[in-house]
Amino acid sequence: MTDDMRRMMQQWGAPPRITEIAMRARDTDAVVHAKTFLGDIIRRDVNMLVLAGGVGVGKSVAAAWSMLSFPVNGHGAYGMRRFRHTAALCELLGQFDADQKKERDILKACRMLVLDDVGTEYLTEPFQMLFDGLINARYEESGITVITTNLTSDQFRDRYGLRIYDRL
């Protein structure tokens, strides 16, 4: 991979350490699931992937790998993408100035969005409402969304509700 790819990943918000590992990722279970997901995007109407599992299994790396590999899998030009850790997302969703609103709008509309470590944030009602709006907007617009989490399927449903769970 090139320095241009590193710069793009930085612009998209991917952490440098995750980018470097993703650029030479091996076929872990998480990367294999990401490859299948990218293939499914091309073959049918699939747009959301949840990579769940324990700490250190490579979920974040697989998500970053997806960002790097997406154009190679039949989608030509690089569209706008975003990689956000949930803590940063929590801060962003809680801000209401014009710049923050613009970034929230970008998260809703970007071609690919990675939400890393969902389930680690402090869950408040305002965050829940804004997170629900973000996921719903991406679902309605068929935005490609990759979520990493340590939560089990049941824990995810209990934490975020059936509506969000069903969209994923």
Side-chain angles (χ1 to χ4, degrees), residues 39-89:
D40 287 347
I41 291 170
I42 295 164
R43 288 190 296 277
R44 61 180 196 254
D45 190 24
V46 173
N47 63 330
M48 300 222 180
L49 171 66
V50 177
L51 295 168
V55 175
V57 298
K59 300 178 301 289
S60 299
V61 169
W65 179 90
S66 296
M67 290 179 74
L68 284 167
S69 300
F70 182 59
V72 177
N73 287 284
H75 287 273
Y78 293 95
M80 183 178 292
R81 300 159 199 206
R82 288 291 188 265
F83 187 109
R84 291 293 179 264
H85 188 277
T86 309
L89 181 67

Side-chain angles (χ1 to χ4, degrees), residues 58-165:
K59 300 178 301 289
S60 299
V61 169
W65 179 90
S66 296
M67 290 179 74
L68 284 167
S69 300
F70 182 59
V72 177
N73 287 284
H75 287 273
Y78 293 95
M80 183 178 292
R81 300 159 199 206
R82 288 291 188 265
F83 187 109
R84 291 293 179 264
H85 188 277
T86 309
L89 181 67
C90 203
E91 266 181 47
L92 176 67
L93 293 178
Q95 306 278 329
F96 294 99
D97 63 31
D99 289 339
Q100 301 300 335
K101 183 182 179 324
K102 181 180 176 185
E103 180 64 13
R104 284 194 306 274
D105 290 343
I106 288 171
L107 293 180
K108 288 179 180 177
C110 66
R111 182 76 179 118
M112 178 181 267
L113 174 63
V114 172
L115 298 175
D116 192 33
D117 281 339
V118 172
T120 60
E121 74 285 345
Y122 180 68
L123 193 59
T124 63
E125 191 172 325
F127 175 83
Q128 178 74 27
M129 288 175 24
L130 292 165
F131 185 67
D132 185 271
L134 173 62
I135 296 299
N136 191 58
R138 298 204 51 80
Y139 174 80
E140 294 294 327
E141 298 297 322
S142 298
I144 298 164
T145 307
V146 178
I147 292 175
T148 71
T149 185
N150 294 339
L151 301 175
T152 66
S153 180
D154 289 343
Q155 289 170 328
F156 197 95
R157 184 191 61 237
D158 292 346
R159 183 173 176 93
Y160 299 105
L162 191 55
R163 182 169 188 247
I164 290 178
Y165 176 82

